[in-house]
Amino acid sequence: MDDRLSLTFAALADPTRRAILSMLLEDDMAVTDVAEPFDMSLAAISKHLAILTRAGLISQEKRGRVKWCKLEPAALKDPSVWMQGFGQFDPVNLDDFERYLETLLGNGAAPPEVG
Amino acid sequence: MDDRLSLTFAALADPTRRAILSMLLEDDMAVTDVAEPFDMSLAAISKHLAILTRAGLISQEKRGRVKWCKLEPAALKDPSVWMQGFGQFDPVNLDDFERYLETLLGNGAAPPEVG
DNA sequence: ATCATCGTCAACCGGATGGTTGAATATGCC
DNA sequence: GGCATATTCAACCATCCGGTTGACGATGAT
């Protein structure tokens, strides 16, 4: 399946790739630095990054000999909206939304901690 | 990968399965009826339903000789929250949230139309 | 009892996925 | 030029995935 939604969900369906995205929340990173904490070859990480790029979840820009990886959170918008089409029928989710918005307005957007 | 988040994202990474979930928004359905609109064997649909069940996105209950499939939107909560950890850094997404909440409070929750 | 219907199981197939290793391609440094 | 660093490419491997078909087990109808 090569439609965007499928590509994005598939890209997210791997803990290594989700960990990479979390790392990139902090800051842009070089491929080598992304690979460092993982017990896996650089080539494997390079493939994961290619998949994330194809899904639009990150972008890669080569400056000198190092390729910088940058998070592209906008790519999560469509999947998120798609899911809300279901979530809205669940009252629990509505509560979450309200709490989330209060968090935002209240103390300046602390990220929800979720595995 | 057999952690919940991976299972759920993987389950969503297939257009047939997303279509099934959309169908189940309308009402609970028997397996045969779920399969009807698809150009694919019943066994294939049965497998898709098993994957959705394993991810917790639907539940199946056998009554008589027909097995009813029921949407379980709560399973979308964790993935949704996980994504919000990224989305909140994207101002466009915040606008969406506010608009969404206004929609809710205003006219009684019209579903966001997204393919 | 027999027959049709509902759904899954088992075996198979081709193609994708996630990983490895070793060679190859840039690029930067001296 | 020559060497080290950064990253990808290519080939390979085992496993998973999405689909098929045919047989099978349950259940309901006559």
Side-chain angles (χ1 to χ4, degrees), chain A:
Chain A
M1 325 328 165
D2 41 358
D3 62 292
R4 242 320 149 86
L5 220 38
S6 298
L7 281 178
T8 308
F9 280 130
L12 294 175
D14 182 287
T16 302
R17 288 194 289 265
R18 289 198 305 276
I20 291 174
L21 292 178
S22 292
M23 291 166 56
L24 291 176
L25 264 180
E26 305 279 332
D27 209 347
D28 299 359
M29 295 180 79
V31 172
T32 306
D33 294 333
V34 169
E36 198 270 334
F38 295 99
D39 189 20
M40 175 183 318
S41 72
L42 186 60
I45 295 294
S46 182
K47 282 188 188 177
H48 281 304
L49 291 172
I51 289 170
L52 289 171
T53 300
R54 204 158 91 92
L57 287 164
I58 67 170
S59 59
Q60 292 182 288
E61 183 200 355
K62 193 170 179 181
R63 276 203 304 272
R65 69 181 156 178
V66 13
K67 202 165 184 178
W68 292 90
C69 304
K70 183 179 182 307
L71 190 65
E72 298 288 351
L76 287 170
K77 194 184 148 197
D78 279 0
S80 172
V81 169
W82 186 89
M83 295 202 320
Q84 282 169 24
F86 298 88
Q88 72 183 302
F89 292 92
D90 177 17
V92 174
N93 248 336
L94 290 187
D95 290 349
D96 280 353
F97 279 8
E98 288 176 26
R99 259 209 313 280
Y100 176 65
L101 222 68
E102 272 174 36
T103 308
L104 277 181
L105 301 174
N107 61 23
E113 292 287 346
V114 164

Side-chain angles (χ1 to χ4, degrees), chain B residues 2-114:
Chain B
D2 42 357
D3 61 292
R4 241 321 147 83
L5 219 38
S6 298
L7 281 179
T8 308
F9 280 130
L12 294 175
D14 181 288
T16 301
R17 287 193 291 263
R18 289 198 306 276
I20 291 175
L21 292 178
S22 292
M23 291 165 56
L24 291 177
L25 263 180
E26 306 280 332
D27 211 346
D28 299 358
M29 295 179 77
V31 172
T32 306
D33 295 333
V34 169
E36 197 269 334
F38 295 99
D39 189 20
M40 173 182 322
S41 72
L42 185 60
I45 295 293
S46 181
K47 282 189 189 180
H48 281 304
L49 291 172
I51 289 170
L52 289 170
T53 300
R54 207 158 89 92
L57 288 163
I58 68 170
S59 59
Q60 293 182 286
E61 184 199 355
K62 192 168 178 181
R63 277 204 301 274
R65 69 178 158 179
V66 13
K67 202 166 184 176
W68 293 90
C69 305
K70 182 178 181 306
L71 190 64
E72 298 289 351
L76 287 170
K77 193 185 149 200
D78 280 359
S80 173
V81 170
W82 187 89
M83 297 202 321
Q84 283 169 23
F86 298 88
Q88 71 182 300
F89 293 92
D90 177 15
V92 174
N93 247 336
L94 290 187
D95 289 351
D96 280 352
F97 277 8
E98 288 176 25
R99 257 209 314 279
Y100 177 65
L101 222 68
E102 273 172 36
T103 307
L104 277 182
L105 300 174
N107 62 23
E113 292 286 347
V114 163

